[in-house]
Amino acid sequence: ILPRTGGPHGASRSGIPSGLRTSHARPLHANRGARMIHRLPDRDAVEMLARAFPRASSVTVVDVGAHTGKFSARVLAVFPNARIIAIEPSPEPFEMLRTWAEGRPGVTPVQVALGAEPATLRMAITANPMLTSVLSPTARSSAISGGAAEVVSEVTVAVRRLDDVLAEHGVE
């Protein structure tokens, strides 16, 4: 989560609001020394963002595994000036995300999987798109899901490094 303008609202001496933890992102942004805000288990992520930054600020949010854009929509509802890079590799949810993003200039959908190095991977498309993954379903997950984890097709997806995707979209 990177502020584009201004500084954090209600920040402690470290510059981060109380109740939020930060770390230096390595290796993701090792050259930039960027700080990342981690979600605490008892707080909602959008609520934490609202405490960290004024609602009128222009924040950049990277929604990894955006699926159909529900989290991105919540962020946009709280931060109407937000810039959102919504990343989703699975074809069906990505099309729904892309359709939702139309007419929302602050939202950029990106169809790619993320990894340590550029590559391609086989993705198992399951009966329930929420269970689609580059990992094959296990017998246990199939049993628990009542068949929803059954692989119905496979697709090959591009894999890129997050730093490369962000640079391509002008995020430093």
Side-chain angles (χ1 to χ4, degrees):
I1 301 154
L2 308 167
R4 284 196 289 169
T5 60
H9 177 68
S12 66
R13 204 170 80 146
S14 67
I16 300 297
S18 57
L20 301 181
R21 296 179 298 182
T22 65
S23 68
H24 291 283
R26 296 184 200 275
L28 209 53
H29 290 40
N31 295 335
R32 298 185 196 114
R35 289 183 298 184
M36 297 181 70
I37 297 175
H38 298 277
R39 181 171 180 225
L40 298 177
D42 62 333
R43 302 277 174 122
D44 175 82
V46 177
E47 173 191 327
M48 289 174 41
L49 284 173
R51 290 177 185 214
F53 305 103
R55 292 175 186 256
S57 65
S58 297
V59 296
T60 296
V61 175
V62 180
D63 186 358
V64 177
H67 199 62
T68 60
K70 288 182 181 180
F71 178 77
S72 293
R74 292 192 59 224
V75 170
L76 208 55
V78 174
F79 296 99
N81 299 321
R83 177 179 181 201
I84 300 170
I85 309 296
I87 301 171
E88 174 56 48
S90 184
E92 185 180 328
F94 179 79
E95 279 307 309
M96 293 168 39
L97 173 66
R98 187 187 56 72
T99 299
W100 171 79
E102 289 175 4
R104 292 177 173 86
V107 180
T108 304
V110 180
Q111 187 174 10
V112 69
L114 299 175
E117 297 298 327
T120 57
L121 284 176
R122 177 193 63 84
M123 177 172 268
I125 307 298
T126 55
N128 178 342
M130 291 293 291
L131 303 175
T132 292
S133 176
V134 296
L135 303 174
S136 297
T138 64
R140 183 168 187 233
S141 66
S142 295
I144 291 171
S145 70
E150 178 186 342
V151 176
V152 294
S153 65
E154 293 181 354
V155 296
T156 300
V157 296
V159 178
R160 298 194 44 218
R161 290 172 11 94
L162 179 58
D163 278 352
D164 296 338
V165 172
L166 297 179
E168 179 180 301
H169 295 283
V171 178
E172 297 179 8

